[in-house]
Amino acid sequence: MEFYRFDQESGKQITKFDSDFVMSRIIQTSGNAHIGCMHIPANGVVGYHQAVSPQLMLIMTGAGRVRSGNDDFIEVKAGEAVFWENGEWHETISEIGLTAIVIESEALNPSAYMTPKESGL
């Protein structure tokens, strides 16, 4: 399990074409990708299961906890991303609810685009 940031502070100011915004790059894939939006309610859970392909979860709102294998749960919040390898056992829970974009593809390499989350999770 790897952790990344895509919050405003990890992005790049864009001014081309008289623009004024921050773009936080996330991923580029040359293969097929499945992209969905997951809505986990308060006290909701994505049950313990194996990833069927590499999977990147981008937390947009809310917060929760994730775990991989038999590891302890780790807190995650909006602006952070979690990456699981193909076949990796994992689970997500949230006491307050969270909304996340989930990208699944064999061609994911988030470390090429996103800033790793600092240690001290």
Side-chain angles (χ1 to χ4, degrees), residues 61-94:
T61 63
R65 294 183 291 152
V66 296
R67 71 177 176 125
S68 176
N70 293 322
D71 295 339
D72 291 335
F73 280 97
I74 296 171
E75 300 281 335
V76 292
K77 64 184 183 313
E80 297 177 348
V82 184
F83 178 67
W84 291 284
E85 295 285 352
N86 185 35
E88 190 171 359
W89 285 89
H90 64 285
E91 182 176 20
T92 303
I93 61 175
S94 179

Side-chain angles (χ1 to χ4, degrees), residues 1-100:
M1 183 165 53
E2 299 170 7
F3 295 89
Y4 295 93
R5 295 176 44 210
F6 65 98
D7 55 2
Q8 184 172 343
E9 290 76 27
S10 67
K12 177 182 174 184
Q13 184 72 35
I14 305 296
T15 58
K16 193 172 183 177
F17 307 118
D18 293 323
S19 299
D20 183 15
F21 68 95
V22 173
M23 173 65 78
S24 297
R25 295 183 69 188
I26 294 174
I27 204 80
Q28 179 176 331
T29 176
S30 59
N32 291 332
H34 176 266
I35 302 170
C37 185
M38 181 169 51
H39 305 273
I40 301 175
N43 299 310
V45 62
V46 177
Y48 191 63
H49 68 284
Q50 274 186 297
V52 296
S53 68
Q55 181 179 63
L56 181 64
M57 181 176 72
L58 307 153
I59 298 138
M60 306 303 294
T61 63
R65 294 183 291 152
V66 296
R67 71 177 176 125
S68 176
N70 293 322
D71 295 339
D72 291 335
F73 280 97
I74 296 171
E75 300 281 335
V76 292
K77 64 184 183 313
E80 297 177 348
V82 184
F83 178 67
W84 291 284
E85 295 285 352
N86 185 35
E88 190 171 359
W89 285 89
H90 64 285
E91 182 176 20
T92 303
I93 61 175
S94 179
E95 292 177 5
I96 65 168
L98 70 81
T99 301

